[in-house]
Amino acid sequence: AAKEAGKNQVVEFSPGMREFRLHYAQLAAGLQVALAGDALTVLYQPIVDLACGRPVALEALLRWRGADGRFVPPGQFIPVAEDIGVVSAIGDQVLRDACAQAARWFDRHQVAVSVNVSGRQLVLPDFADTVLGHLVTAGLPPQALILEITETVLVGPTGPAKDIAYDGLAALRRHGVRIAVDDFGTGYSSLSYLHRLPIDILKIDQTFTGALDSTEEREAALVGAILALGTSLAVPTIAEGVETPRQAALLRAMNCPMAQGYHFARPGTTSEITDYLAGTAPRRAPSVPS
Ligand code: C2E
Ligand code: MG
Ligand code: MG
Ligand code: MG
């Protein structure tokens, strides 16, 4: 029986690998083309003040319209972009576009923009200068920019690359740029490092927000624990992936200051967000496919 199972595994594994490699090669080739052309666009998703529901920031979320016109999700192509060494170029494009767009929104509505940064970008020695350059070009005050960095990247192994990254972040923070830990709670379980991190905001991962609906009290209690942690470190929190009125109400009752999710607004195009900010769109819009 064991032998049979082994055979089956091999039979199932090979086509899978071939498919994966094909898919990967297509993505890699397509990305090079996308970078040169205009297939990469940025959508923006509101982050709201939970107490009043008003937008305080917009997260820039990258989209790639593939040759067939459909969106390839960033979770699929960002890892490939990192692999083939184009993620910095892509990330720089996102930062430049987001700063330029945010300057218009900031003037009218005093909202910040929040941009995801890859670990590969962060370790470039000129990263901080590049960011400051984009701010100056766009005329966006540093206080209106948030950089989102995942927990794993912030905490990862120490070494020269990490020193460069931390020096860069420190320089940016001195100018007033804020640093948010993205997907907080999914990376490292040890909390001992937290107070040493150069951070200004914690983004509670959507798995914890989703757990608020769990009938398991202990699971639902995790959000409360993270909120308490944020309070004791004096670091404000954003709950990600809020999808239901009940989740929003629970978070509000726990004094979570900010939230983001389909319940408030889906990621939208520049013009949809412009309408949303002007208050001309209904509260739940934009509704572009995410
Ligand atoms: P993230 O930074 O944690 O972004 C939040 C993700 O959750 C986004 O997925 C967003 O569309 C999705 N989301 C928002 N509200 C809800 C909700 O209520 N329910 C659910 N189920 N999902 C919700 P998206 O846009 O597919 O992005 C996935 C990840 O790709 C991001 O996770 C981020 O890590 C990465 N990413 C996106 N844009 C960029 C970029 O410009 N540069 C880099 N390096 N990474 C990016
Ligand atoms: Mg993010
Ligand atoms: Mg996140
Ligand atoms: Mg995520």
Side-chain angles (χ1 to χ4, degrees):
K3 200 174 168 191
E4 214 168 286
K7 253 190 213 156
N8 280 342
Q9 263 171 15
V10 170
V11 168
E12 277 167 18
F13 189 66
S14 299
M17 270 314 279
R18 214 173 294 136
E19 223 169 80
F20 173 80
R21 255 192 247 117
L22 188 67
H23 191 54
Y24 185 96
Q26 278 171 346
L27 282 179
L31 259 181
Q32 304 277 12
V33 179
L35 236 187
D38 59 356
L40 293 176
T41 53
V42 182
L43 297 184
Y44 295 89
Q45 186 180 33
I47 296 170
V48 304
D49 180 328
L50 251 178
C52 62
R54 302 208 24 183
V56 290
L58 299 148
E59 179 173 3
L61 293 164
L62 188 58
R63 292 291 178 270
W64 173 18
R65 200 185 289 278
D68 59 359
R70 290 204 314 214
F71 282 122
V72 184
Q76 244 174 60
F77 71 82
I78 296 278
V80 180
E82 287 182 336
D83 259 19
I84 64 174
V86 298
V87 78
S88 308
I90 292 177
D92 198 52
Q93 211 167 291
V94 173
L95 257 168
R96 192 198 54 208
D97 290 0
C99 287
Q101 183 50 55
R104 294 177 210 126
W105 288 331
F106 182 79
D107 278 345
R108 271 173 188 243
H109 307 284
Q110 285 74 51
V111 286
V113 70
S114 202
V115 181
N116 294 284
V117 175
S118 154
R120 301 290 160 94
Q121 255 176 300
L122 204 60
V123 297
L124 296 177
D126 60 352
F127 176 70
D129 285 338
T130 309
V131 173
L132 293 171
H134 288 318
L135 288 170
V136 170
T137 305
L140 184 70
Q143 289 75 15
L145 177 65
I146 301 166
L147 298 179
E148 299 194 9
I149 300 160
T150 57
E151 193 181 4
T152 347
V153 166
L154 276 175
V155 181
T158 47
K162 178 110 168 255
D163 291 344
I164 292 174
Y166 271 48
D167 288 350
L169 291 181
L172 287 167
R173 290 181 81 217
R174 279 195 298 277
H175 280 88
V177 173
R178 282 169 290 169
I179 309 301
V181 189
D182 205 351
D183 303 344
F184 180 73
T186 60
Y188 280 63
S189 48
S190 161
L191 296 177
S192 55
Y193 66 86
L194 245 192
H195 68 282
R196 278 183 269 122
L197 291 185
I199 56 166
D200 305 282
I201 296 167
L202 284 183
K203 295 195 78 174
I204 304 173
D205 191 72
Q206 54 191 38
T207 53
F208 299 106
T209 307
L212 283 173
D213 290 328
S214 172
T215 47
E216 280 285 337
E217 238 172 75
R218 285 150 53 108
E219 207 177 311
L222 286 173
V223 171
I226 299 176
L227 288 171
L229 195 64
T231 305
S232 62
L233 292 170
V235 174
T237 43
I238 301 172
E240 298 192 84
V242 179
E243 292 182 344
T244 66
R246 182 166 176 273
Q247 289 168 354
L250 286 172
L251 288 162
R252 211 173 281 123
M254 289 190 277
N255 290 318
C256 177
M258 291 170 283
Q260 175 180 7
Y262 299 163
H263 169 65
F264 301 102
R266 287 180 177 260
T269 61
T270 299
S271 80
E272 285 176 313
I273 295 296
T274 299
D275 289 350
Y276 165 89
L277 290 174
T280 53
R283 260 202 82 194
R284 290 287 178 79
S287 58
V288 150
S290 66

